[in-house]
């Protein structure tokens, strides 16, 4: 399966809002720990894109990278460099999403590799992220060279609301 990747502009976000909303909703309903709990409806999913992502992309402090397969939104990841002046060398990886029907085809890895190349061009030399401890995404990040900085127990409510999960904080230095 071949995915094409491209940056989504503010216009793209508005025009493709139903697809972006469906991507996020599908991931949350599939158990992804990405900041939302069930029930998670279409309105809440679309509000994330319009209230959180769209303003940051419009201000030019966040990149939304989207993977498409046959013209359909299959995945996305964000690079957020809206940092304080003493952190101008750093950016944060946010919300790596791959639709359940498109998983296990290398799309997440492809998104992360392009995101890292974009971070280098900014230029940013340090990427940070957090992920649910033990999640399959943690293994992906480790394989891409991310280093575990530590873990915080009982960090976030699980998507189904039945427990508190730990989170693992990770980083990658892009240049030494």
């Amino acid at each position: 399966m071949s995915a094409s990747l491209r940056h989504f502009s503010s216009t793209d976000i508005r025009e493709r809002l139903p697809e972006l909303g469906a991507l996020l909703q599908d991931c949350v309903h599939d158990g992804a720990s990405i900041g939302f709990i069930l029930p998670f409806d279409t309105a809440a999913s679309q509000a994330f894109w319009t209230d959180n992502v769209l303003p940051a992309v419009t201000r030019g402090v966040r990149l939304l990278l989207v993977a498409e397969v046959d013209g359909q939104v299959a995945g996305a990841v964000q690079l957020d460099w809206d940092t304080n002046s003493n952190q101008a060398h750093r950016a944060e990886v946010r919300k790596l999403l791959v639709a359940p029907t498109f998983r296990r085809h290398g799309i997440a890895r492809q998104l992360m590799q392009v995101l890292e190349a974009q971070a280098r061009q900014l230029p940013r030399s340090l990427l940070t992220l957090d992920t649910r401890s033990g999640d399959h995404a943690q293994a992906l990040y480790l394989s891409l060279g991310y280093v575990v900085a530590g873990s915080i127990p009982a960090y976030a409510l699980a998507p189904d609301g039945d427990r508190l999960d730990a989170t693992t904080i990770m980083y990658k230095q892009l240049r030494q």
Side-chain angles (χ1 to χ4, degrees):
M1 179 177 302
S2 178
S4 62
L5 274 57
R6 70 182 184 93
H7 300 179
F8 263 33
S9 67
S10 299
T11 300
D12 294 321
I13 294 169
R14 286 185 198 97
E15 289 176 356
R16 307 286 295 275
L17 183 60
E19 289 177 81
L20 291 168
L23 170 66
L24 181 59
Q25 200 170 9
D26 288 349
C27 290
V28 172
H29 283 264
D30 196 53
S33 181
I34 49 178
F36 306 98
I37 57 171
L38 299 172
F40 186 64
D41 63 16
T42 301
S45 180
Q46 290 186 2
F48 167 75
W49 297 102
T50 58
D51 299 348
N52 183 302
V53 180
L54 181 61
V57 168
T58 301
R59 287 192 342 264
V61 295
R62 193 176 305 176
L63 165 75
L64 174 59
L65 185 62
V66 174
E68 296 174 301
V69 174
D70 297 327
Q72 181 180 354
V73 171
V77 68
Q78 299 167 51
L79 181 66
D80 181 354
W81 62 91
D82 190 12
T83 58
N84 295 325
S85 60
N86 70 338
Q87 298 173 31
H89 64 289
R90 183 182 74 77
E92 186 172 346
V93 177
R94 294 185 179 269
K95 306 278 189 272
L96 175 60
L97 307 169
V98 176
T101 57
F102 292 106
R103 291 190 183 144
R104 311 299 306 165
H105 295 286
I107 292 172
R109 180 173 298 278
Q110 189 179 357
L111 283 163
M112 288 299 295
Q113 289 169 334
V114 172
L115 175 133
E116 289 176 13
Q118 294 295 308
R120 285 182 181 97
Q121 290 179 4
L122 282 173
R124 299 291 165 138
S125 60
L126 177 67
L127 294 180
T128 60
L129 60 84
D130 69 273
T131 187
R132 178 173 44 199
S133 297
D135 196 83
H136 59 274
Q138 186 173 348
L140 169 69
Y141 298 134
L142 288 169
S143 76
L144 289 167
Y146 285 77
V147 177
V148 173
S151 179
I152 303 171
Y155 184 79
L157 191 60
D160 58 10
D162 69 344
R163 69 185 181 283
L164 290 171
D165 288 332
T167 195
T168 298
I169 310 297
M170 304 180 83
Y171 69 93
K172 183 174 183 178
Q173 292 182 331
L174 300 177
R175 290 189 271 299
Q176 298 299 339

